[in-house]
Amino acid sequence: MSLYAILAAQAEPGNAAARVKLAEAARGLELRGHAIAEYREAARLDPALKAKAEAKVMEIRTEIARALVEDAKQAIDETRFGA
Protein backbone atom coordinates (compact mmCIF):
# COMPACT_ATOMS: atom_id res chain seq x y z
CA MET A 1 0.00 0.00 0.00
CA SER A 2 1.33 3.42 -0.91
CA LEU A 3 1.83 6.26 1.53
CA TYR A 4 -0.80 8.24 -0.35
CA ALA A 5 -3.34 5.42 0.03
CA ILE A 6 -2.69 5.29 3.76
CA LEU A 7 -3.09 9.06 4.13
CA ALA A 8 -6.22 9.07 1.96
CA ALA A 9 -7.79 6.34 4.09
CA GLN A 10 -7.17 8.43 7.22
CA ALA A 11 -8.49 11.73 5.81
CA GLU A 12 -12.00 12.77 6.72
CA PRO A 13 -14.01 12.73 3.47
CA GLY A 14 -15.96 15.91 4.23
CA ASN A 15 -13.08 17.91 5.69
CA ALA A 16 -11.74 20.45 3.19
CA ALA A 17 -8.62 21.22 5.25
CA ALA A 18 -7.78 17.52 5.38
CA ARG A 19 -8.16 17.37 1.58
CA VAL A 20 -5.74 20.27 1.17
CA LYS A 21 -3.21 18.47 3.38
CA LEU A 22 -3.72 15.30 1.35
CA ALA A 23 -3.23 17.28 -1.87
CA GLU A 24 0.03 18.69 -0.53
CA ALA A 25 1.20 15.20 0.46
CA ALA A 26 0.31 13.84 -2.97
CA ARG A 27 2.18 16.67 -4.63
CA GLY A 28 5.22 16.00 -2.47
CA LEU A 29 5.08 12.37 -3.59
CA GLU A 30 4.86 13.58 -7.22
CA LEU A 31 1.36 12.13 -7.55
CA ARG A 32 0.21 15.15 -9.48
CA GLY A 33 -3.10 13.70 -10.66
CA HIS A 34 -4.09 12.84 -7.11
CA ALA A 35 -3.00 16.28 -5.92
CA ILE A 36 -5.20 17.98 -8.54
CA ALA A 37 -8.16 15.80 -7.59
CA GLU A 38 -7.71 16.56 -3.89
CA TYR A 39 -7.42 20.33 -4.44
CA ARG A 40 -10.58 20.22 -6.53
CA GLU A 41 -12.39 18.21 -3.86
CA ALA A 42 -11.29 20.69 -1.18
CA ALA A 43 -12.70 23.55 -3.27
CA ARG A 44 -15.95 21.65 -3.75
CA LEU A 45 -16.25 21.10 -0.02
CA ASP A 46 -15.32 24.68 0.87
CA PRO A 47 -15.95 27.25 -1.88
CA ALA A 48 -13.78 29.73 0.02
CA LEU A 49 -10.81 27.59 -1.04
CA LYS A 50 -11.66 27.78 -4.73
CA ALA A 51 -9.14 30.48 -5.69
CA LYS A 52 -6.32 28.83 -3.75
CA ALA A 53 -7.16 25.41 -5.17
CA GLU A 54 -7.32 26.73 -8.74
CA ALA A 55 -3.92 28.40 -8.31
CA LYS A 56 -2.41 25.16 -6.99
CA VAL A 57 -3.93 23.16 -9.86
CA MET A 58 -2.43 25.64 -12.35
CA GLU A 59 0.98 25.29 -10.67
CA ILE A 60 0.78 21.51 -10.95
CA ARG A 61 -0.34 21.65 -14.58
CA THR A 62 2.62 23.95 -15.30
CA GLU A 63 4.95 21.44 -13.60
CA ILE A 64 3.52 18.68 -15.80
CA ALA A 65 3.97 20.77 -18.95
CA ARG A 66 7.58 21.63 -18.04
CA ALA A 67 8.36 17.97 -17.37
CA LEU A 68 6.90 16.99 -20.75
CA VAL A 69 8.97 19.63 -22.53
CA GLU A 70 12.14 18.50 -20.75
CA ASP A 71 11.40 14.86 -21.62
CA ALA A 72 10.87 15.81 -25.25
CA LYS A 73 14.12 17.80 -25.36
CA GLN A 74 16.00 14.88 -23.88
CA ALA A 75 14.44 12.46 -26.36
CA ILE A 76 15.44 14.71 -29.24
CA ASP A 77 19.01 15.05 -27.89
CA GLU A 78 19.39 11.32 -27.34
CA THR A 79 18.06 10.22 -30.71
CA ARG A 80 19.42 13.21 -32.64
CA PHE A 81 16.24 13.80 -34.65
CA GLY A 82 16.95 15.71 -37.81
CA ALA A 83 20.69 14.89 -37.86
Side-chain angles (χ1 to χ4, degrees):
M1 183 177 272
S2 73
L3 176 58
Y4 173 79
I6 293 168
L7 294 173
Q10 294 175 350
E12 294 178 50
N15 184 327
R19 293 324 227 185
V20 169
K21 288 181 182 180
L22 186 55
E24 291 167 356
R27 190 174 181 185
L29 294 168
E30 296 188 15
L31 299 172
R32 293 178 180 110
H34 290 294
I36 288 171
E38 295 298 344
Y39 279 122
R40 287 181 173 160
E41 179 63 9
R44 187 188 71 75
L45 292 168
D46 183 355
L49 295 174
K50 185 175 181 179
K52 177 184 176 180
E54 287 178 358
K56 294 293 185 179
V57 167
M58 186 56 68
E59 287 175 15
I60 295 168
R61 292 176 73 185
T62 300
E63 289 171 8
I64 293 168
R66 285 186 180 138
L68 288 171
V69 168
E70 288 305 314
D71 287 347
K73 286 180 182 177
Q74 185 176 1
I76 290 169
D77 290 344
E78 289 174 358
T79 57
R80 304 190 190 289
F81 293 129

